[in-house]
Amino acid sequence: VQLVESGGGSVSAGRSLRLSCTVNGYAFEKLRLAWYRQSPGLDCTDIAKIFTGGDTWYRTYVVQGRFAISRDDSRSTVYLQMNDLRPEDSGIYRCGADFFGSQYTTSGTCTGSTYWGKGTTVTISS
């Protein structure tokens, strides 16, 4: 299973970015998907998840109503729309996927999914 993220970049505070993660090698509609953030010097934190039925979960103190996760099963892609970006949002954003019954694995300091992308870097300047 391959996960490839895109959409990162360097923007000023207050701007928006939309991250994408395309998945190959598994029935996408059966996957639960998540976005994680690795901030410099900090552990990897899960910030948003979307389940097979479309339900979502957010790490509220990080997202604070500014981010939205969505999925397009026809494109095998999960998105993270990030608005009103702040310097503390800077980091490497990684996509994770798992399915019911799969075992979690660890990738770097990230855990909580089975399959992992390598990440896309987001840098927010003040």
Side-chain angles (χ1 to χ4, degrees):
V1 181
Q2 285 188 315
L3 289 73
V4 180
E5 301 95 334
S6 61
S10 298
V11 298
S12 301
R15 301 297 294 269
S16 299
L17 285 172
R18 188 176 80 153
L19 307 183
S20 301
C21 172
T22 300
V23 182
N24 293 305
Y26 197 86
F28 184 83
E29 65 277 7
K30 296 182 180 179
L31 292 172
R32 302 182 293 201
L33 301 144
W35 284 99
Y36 298 78
R37 182 170 77 200
Q38 285 183 274
S39 301
L42 298 176
D43 287 339
C44 184
T45 301
D46 52 358
I47 59 174
K49 299 179 181 180
I50 189 164
F51 302 96
T52 55
D55 289 342
T56 58
W57 170 91
Y58 296 96
R59 192 164 295 278
T60 307
Y61 76 87
V62 171
V63 173
Q64 298 183 3
R66 300 175 297 130
F67 295 0
I69 189 171
S70 61
R71 63 190 294 161
D72 185 341
D73 289 358
S74 69
R75 297 178 183 271
S76 297
T77 301
V78 59
Y79 304 97
L80 184 67
Q81 177 68 42
M82 305 189 295
N83 300 321
D84 190 23
L85 285 161
R86 304 166 183 170
E88 55 266 35
D89 294 321
S90 297
I92 299 172
Y93 284 72
R94 301 184 67 184
C95 177
D98 70 278
F99 55 87
F100 181 77
S102 66
Q103 290 192 330
Y104 290 163
T105 61
T106 300
S107 178
T109 59
C110 294
T111 189
S113 290
T114 303
Y115 306 108
W116 298 92
K118 294 182 179 180
T120 185
T121 300
V122 171
T123 304
I124 311 302
S125 58
S126 58

